Amino acid sequence: MIALSLAEIAAVVGGQTHDIPDPSVQVTGPVVRDSREVVPGSLFAAFVGERVDGHDYAPQVVAAGAVAVLASRPVGVPAIVVEDVQTALGALARHVVRRLGATLVALTGSAGKTSTKDLIAQVLRRKAPTVFTPGSLNNEIGLPLTALSATEETRFLVLEMGARGIGHIRYLAGLTPPRIGLVLNVGTAHIGEFGGREQIAQAKGELVEALPEDGAAILNADDPLVRAMAARTKAKVVLFGESAEADVRAENVRLTDSGQPAFRLHTPSGASDVTMRLYGEHHVSNALAAAAVAHELGMSAEEIALALSEAGSLSRWRMEVTERPDGVTIVNDAYNANPESMRAALRALAAMGKGRRTWAVLGKMAELGDEALAEHDAVGRLAVRLNVSKLVAVGGIEASWLQLGAYNEGSWGEESVHVSDAQAAIDLLRSELRPGDVVLVKASRSVGLESVAQALTETGAEGEVAAR
């Protein structure tokens, strides 16, 4: 964070200082909410959770070097006491962002936010110091914490914004007003909470409504609901996609033998070839979105193409590919799932597994409401159409819908199976995997299927799987 005294912070957040001998002492380190992340110069934000109360860690964090605690009650050590810690955190982020002078890039969408954010960050940091959302900390707490990690040297601040309802993105954009706003797509993630795709579009479009006249709205030309958001902004509109009308577009899209996308990138300033290190054709759209942002910030087509070709995955459990010594390939995409990302992952599996035996280890997609049965059935059917060798559906009723969809599409019989939990899936795969197989693991975060991918990776490292 930029250096601020405790007196300044108290004034910004409307708080009272307690047990602070010298209010001129400065916070020079990051603002954190996890006591394990405290370093000398930090400010510790004490949140009260369902199981843990951050206030209980106040003496510990000050002993570890925190200058003070942002708290909702006195804690016996230096503290700035406020009515609501989350509101105060947002106010502090807004203040710091105004003083930074950095260009703020915000992005949202139903699928691909984190992967695209990681691509944007890797491209922009070739041009200037860049701070970006770690993982998918894109809510009312994660976003201000990211903004507060910026320093005087930061020139680009890339912020992922999530939403579970109307007004959420409007609130986040008010905390950290962006100059560039990117909307990737409008899908069915969280449709059970929103009520429909039109409501999702209404929520995502709040980002472009927040842009200034001298800003830029980066919109997906291939998604009609996103493209229609052009009417909701006073900012310049830049279209990306495979459409011929897109300002930043891809031509000659193809996959390498290993399933990595390659294409000819076209921007208003030139064209250049891209071959990505990431897996799956869905990353083409993500790459084009990143390219559109980078072009708007003055980078050439050649610079962008080189950066995209060298970019990797920065966030765990998102199409993480591990090659075991016995030739088995594990694709860990278990961080989260929705119908769009599930279909993209299955297509990536089919491309990676040409000439090899493929396994799709899938669990439920959460928060789909009345669409849950139809969407799980459709994913199971798609696995059959893509000639996935074996579907392993893991978990409860939603998993049974996946398996039933596959069975009804192809009468697979023993070629698909429904197992009760992650351990059952691990046991099955350990007994049946053969060298050369490709395994995709994917489900909503609540299922915890990353344990399957991790167990299979460790199994390979220990050499427990014999050739069959």
Side-chain angles (χ1 to χ4, degrees):
M1 190 175 81
I2 62 174
L4 293 173
S5 71
L6 294 178
E8 289 177 291
I9 294 172
V12 167
V13 302
Q16 299 294 318
T17 57
H18 284 260
D19 301 306
I20 296 177
D22 182 5
S24 68
V25 171
Q26 291 188 325
V27 173
T28 56
V31 180
V32 300
R33 62 173 300 191
D34 187 331
S35 61
R36 296 166 296 185
E37 297 175 355
V38 169
V39 297
S42 294
L43 177 67
F44 177 71
F47 283 89
V48 179
E50 293 182 3
R51 300 178 181 177
V52 177
D53 184 345
H55 295 79
D56 295 339
Y57 292 83
Q60 175 183 326
V61 299
V62 170
V67 176
V69 178
L70 184 63
S72 56
R73 63 177 186 266
V75 287
V77 295
I80 297 171
V81 177
V82 296
E83 287 189 14
D84 182 80
V85 173
Q86 179 178 306
T87 300
L89 195 67
L92 184 58
R94 187 185 302 112
H95 175 78
V96 168
V97 162
R98 285 174 179 166
R99 287 186 50 174
L100 268 179
T103 297
L104 267 68
V105 178
L107 71 153
T108 191
S110 295
K113 293 187 295 295
T114 299
S115 296
T116 304
K117 173 264 302 176
D118 289 348
L119 286 174
I120 293 171
Q122 290 177 84
V123 174
L124 292 185
R125 67 188 183 188
R126 288 173 172 260
K127 183 177 177 68
T130 301
V131 168
F132 58 99
T133 304
S136 56
L137 297 179
N138 58 21
N139 62 11
E140 294 85 350
I141 297 174
L143 181 135
L145 286 175
T146 301
L148 291 169
S149 69
T151 67
E152 290 86 349
E153 290 74 34
T154 302
R155 291 296 170 264
F156 299 121
L157 182 56
V158 183
L159 299 172
E160 179 181 329
M161 293 185 176
R164 293 181 179 272
I166 303 296
H168 288 187
I169 290 178
R170 183 181 302 113
Y171 171 79
L172 296 177
L175 297 183
T176 55
R179 189 175 78 77
I180 296 178
L182 163 63
V183 184
L184 291 169
N185 44 54
V186 173
T188 53
H190 311 304
I191 197 169
E193 296 187 4
F194 281 96
R197 291 186 74 226
E198 291 73 17
Q199 289 84 355
I200 295 174
Q202 180 62 35
K204 301 299 185 186
E206 292 170 359
L207 177 56
V208 300
E209 291 176 346
L211 297 172
E213 287 187 18
D214 64 347
I218 313 294
L219 301 178
N220 188 346
D222 302 327
D223 186 323
L225 289 175
V226 175
R227 188 165 181 168
M229 294 176 191
R232 296 170 59 183
T233 184
K234 55 183 178 288
K236 170 186 177 182
V237 173
V238 178
L239 298 177
F240 71 91
E242 295 185 45
S243 167
E245 299 176 3
D247 302 291
V248 176
R249 66 187 188 278
E251 292 182 354
N252 191 27
V253 177
R254 60 204 181 279
L255 291 176
T256 67
D257 291 342
S258 57
Q260 294 160 306
F263 58 94
R264 180 76 170 170
L265 171 67
H266 288 265
T267 76
S269 64
S272 192
D273 291 324
V274 176
T275 300
M276 302 186 73
R277 292 172 54 199
L278 303 177
Y279 294 84
E281 190 171 337
H282 59 291
H283 281 299
V284 173
S285 181
N286 299 341
L288 292 175
V293 170
H295 177 267
E296 184 63 24
L297 292 173
M299 294 183 69
S300 70
E302 292 77 12
E303 290 175 310
I304 297 168
L306 178 61
L308 290 174
S309 296
E310 295 181 351
S313 177
L314 302 182
S315 301
R316 64 178 183 171
W317 307 339
R318 292 171 174 86
M319 295 301 287
E320 279 186 0
V321 177
T322 302
E323 300 285 350
R324 294 194 338 193
D326 63 353
V328 172
T329 300
I330 309 297
V331 184
N332 185 351
D333 199 31
Y335 188 84
N336 217 334
N338 57 57
E340 290 77 23
S341 67
M342 193 73 91
R343 288 192 284 269
L346 283 171
R347 292 190 179 101
L349 172 65
M352 295 173 67
K354 287 180 180 177
R356 304 166 69 182
R357 199 168 64 149
T358 53
W359 298 71
V361 184
L362 309 180
K364 77 171 181 180
M365 300 173 286
E367 300 173 348
L368 293 179
D370 294 340
E371 301 296 319
L373 173 56
E375 292 290 1
H376 285 86
D377 178 84
V379 167
R381 291 175 183 272
L382 179 62
V384 175
R385 294 170 190 161
L386 292 172
N387 294 317
V388 172
S389 304
K390 190 154 188 175
L391 169 69
V392 181
V394 185
I397 185 66
E398 294 90 351
S400 72
W401 295 337
L402 285 166
Q403 197 269 343
L404 185 61
Y407 184 88
N408 288 337
E409 182 70 20
S411 297
W412 274 14
E414 294 184 358
E415 292 180 304
S416 66
V417 62
H418 176 208
V419 299
S420 59
D421 55 25
Q423 186 57 53
I426 293 167
D427 293 341
L428 172 69
L429 288 156
R430 278 178 170 165
S431 67
E432 295 195 17
L433 281 181
R434 297 199 301 255
D437 287 358
V438 185
V439 184
L440 167 71
V441 182
K442 188 168 181 64
S444 280
R445 186 71 192 89
S446 59
V447 183
L449 282 196
E450 69 277 0
S451 63
V452 176
Q454 291 167 342
L456 295 178
T457 300
E458 292 164 2
T459 295
E462 295 165 4
E464 295 175 5
V465 176
R468 290 176 176 266

